[in-house]
């Protein structure tokens, strides 16, 4: 095999791998949340790509501690933070093109963790995890994966598809 063909094949497989390790994530505020509070509350939501050791750190980490100002663990994880408020859309996209994906790929992320700063709920309701290991068959063959997350009065949850809310 000549060097040009090797280079082309190597480039192709590198691009294939890189393309498969990015996802689109859309976060939705359930209308039930507005009904519960009388408005959509202002809050922060972090999406974090973590490797196995970081995942172990966060499994039992207190959410209130995580969201404290200048928390060193939060800073070191390089989260993508979404700010929700009553004057913003109750739907926000974390695109496959955001810079955080590159940093998370470098450290070999295997899971996505979503944390929300919504006081009054149990920590388990304010944090969800999703395995996105490269062995996930959906991530191969250049298929784009889109995850949907909904914030309800009872906490965060992954949902199968874009929700349709009655107006």
């Amino acid at each position: 095999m000549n060097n040009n063909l090797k280079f082309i094949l190597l480039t192709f497989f590198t691009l294939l791998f890189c393309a498969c390790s990015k996802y689109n994530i859309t976060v939705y505020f359930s209308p039930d949340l507005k009904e519960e509070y009388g408005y959509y509350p202002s809050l922060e939501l972090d999406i974090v790509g973590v490797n196995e050791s970081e995942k172990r750190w966060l499994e039992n980490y207190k959410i209130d501690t995580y969201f404290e100002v200048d928390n060193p663990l939060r800073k070191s994880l390089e989260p993508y933070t979404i700010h929700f408020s009553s004057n913003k859309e109750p739907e926000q996209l974390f695109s496959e093109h955001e810079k955080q994906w590159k940093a998370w790929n470098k450290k070999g992320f295997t899971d996505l963790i979503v944390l929300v700063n919504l006081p009054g709920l149990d920590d388990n309701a304010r944090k969800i995890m999703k395995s996105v290991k490269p062995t996930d068959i959906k991530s191969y063959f250049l298929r784009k994966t889109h995850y949907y997350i909904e914030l309800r009065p009872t906490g965060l949850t992954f949902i199968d598809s874009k929700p349709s809310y009655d107006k």
Side-chain angles (χ1 to χ4, degrees), residues 35-87:
E35 202 172 292
E36 176 81 14
Y37 290 94
Y39 57 91
Y40 284 119
S42 296
L43 56 86
E44 290 179 306
L45 180 138
D46 278 4
I47 300 172
V48 184
V50 296
N51 58 33
E52 287 297 323
S53 62
E54 292 167 332
K55 179 182 172 185
R56 285 191 297 275
W57 295 340
L58 283 173
E59 283 177 330
N60 297 309
Y61 203 81
K62 297 287 183 199
I63 303 299
D64 288 332
T65 303
Y66 174 86
F67 279 106
E68 285 177 353
V69 176
D70 296 325
N71 179 292
L73 176 60
R74 183 180 183 195
K75 283 183 177 182
S76 72
L77 294 173
E78 300 181 69
Y80 180 81
T81 302
I82 297 174
H83 299 274
F84 283 100
S85 67
S86 59
N87 59 354

Side-chain angles (χ1 to χ4, degrees), residues 115-161:
L115 307 104
V116 65
N117 191 11
L118 183 62
L121 295 176
D122 180 81
D123 276 4
N124 291 329
R126 296 167 62 192
K127 172 178 50 184
I128 54 175
M129 298 182 192
K130 180 86 162 168
S131 177
V132 291
K133 295 179 180 166
T135 56
D136 181 355
I137 193 66
K138 288 188 280 183
S139 69
Y140 285 95
F141 309 115
L142 296 175
R143 288 187 183 174
K144 286 190 179 184
T145 300
H146 198 124
Y147 292 118
Y148 304 92
I149 299 168
E150 186 176 45
L151 179 58
R152 301 174 180 165
T154 55
L156 288 166
T157 187
F158 278 99
I159 55 178
D160 293 334
S161 61

